[in-house]
Amino acid sequence: MIQGLTLLFLMQLLGEGLVFWLHLPLPGPLMGMLILAGWLVWRGAVPEGLRQASGGLLQHLMLLFIPAVAGVMMHFGRVAHEWLPFLAAGIGGAAVTLVVTALTLRWMLRRSGQPLTDDVPEEAA
């Protein structure tokens, strides 16, 4: 697990360095995650340490939203004054996320050879 966390931090550092060096208009952690995604696709598998570290982070993902919510609440007056762009960004972001997630799932199911069906099993109905 330590190797997985180290890899995540190194990829973030590499992304920060590339963004700074190339003057790219992207956040460094995003660039690091793109590099990590490319490396994982090239490698064809996820190392066990990275799987454990990312699984632990994903289990506690809600904790990562606490600073963002606190930041929004600190500027609640501005949000109340400019509620329409805030609402549009929230709804638009959720819609884009939903579409991208559905397309990614469909692509992964096709790649794995599993059938794409709309049938609901009897137990789930």
Side-chain angles (χ1 to χ4, degrees), residues 25-125:
L26 293 172
L30 175 62
M31 178 59 77
M33 288 298 108
L34 291 174
I35 295 168
L36 176 64
W39 179 72
L40 290 174
V41 168
W42 175 77
R43 190 172 189 270
V46 179
E48 186 58 33
L50 182 60
R51 184 182 310 274
Q52 290 175 353
S54 60
L57 288 173
L58 288 174
Q59 285 177 345
H60 304 290
L61 187 62
M62 281 306 293
L63 293 175
L64 300 176
F65 288 109
I66 292 172
V69 172
V72 168
M73 293 313 292
M74 284 182 56
H75 299 284
F76 188 74
R78 184 171 183 183
V79 172
H81 181 57
E82 301 174 16
W83 65 272
L84 187 58
F86 190 76
L87 182 66
I91 291 172
V96 169
T97 300
L98 181 65
V99 169
V100 170
T101 301
L103 292 174
T104 303
L105 175 64
R106 178 178 220 124
W107 174 74
M108 291 180 73
L109 287 174
R110 283 189 181 148
R111 187 172 179 203
S112 70
Q114 295 184 11
L116 297 173
T117 63
D118 293 336
D119 298 332
V120 177
E122 294 292 328
E123 301 84 33

Side-chain angles (χ1 to χ4, degrees), residues 14-32:
L14 180 62
E16 292 279 1
L18 280 174
V19 165
F20 179 77
W21 185 52
L22 298 175
H23 304 289
L24 297 174
L26 293 172
L30 175 62
M31 178 59 77

Side-chain angles (χ1 to χ4, degrees), residues 4-23:
L5 286 172
T6 303
L7 179 63
L8 287 173
F9 285 128
L10 285 175
M11 290 296 175
Q12 180 177 350
L13 181 64
L14 180 62
E16 292 279 1
L18 280 174
V19 165
F20 179 77
W21 185 52
L22 298 175
H23 304 289

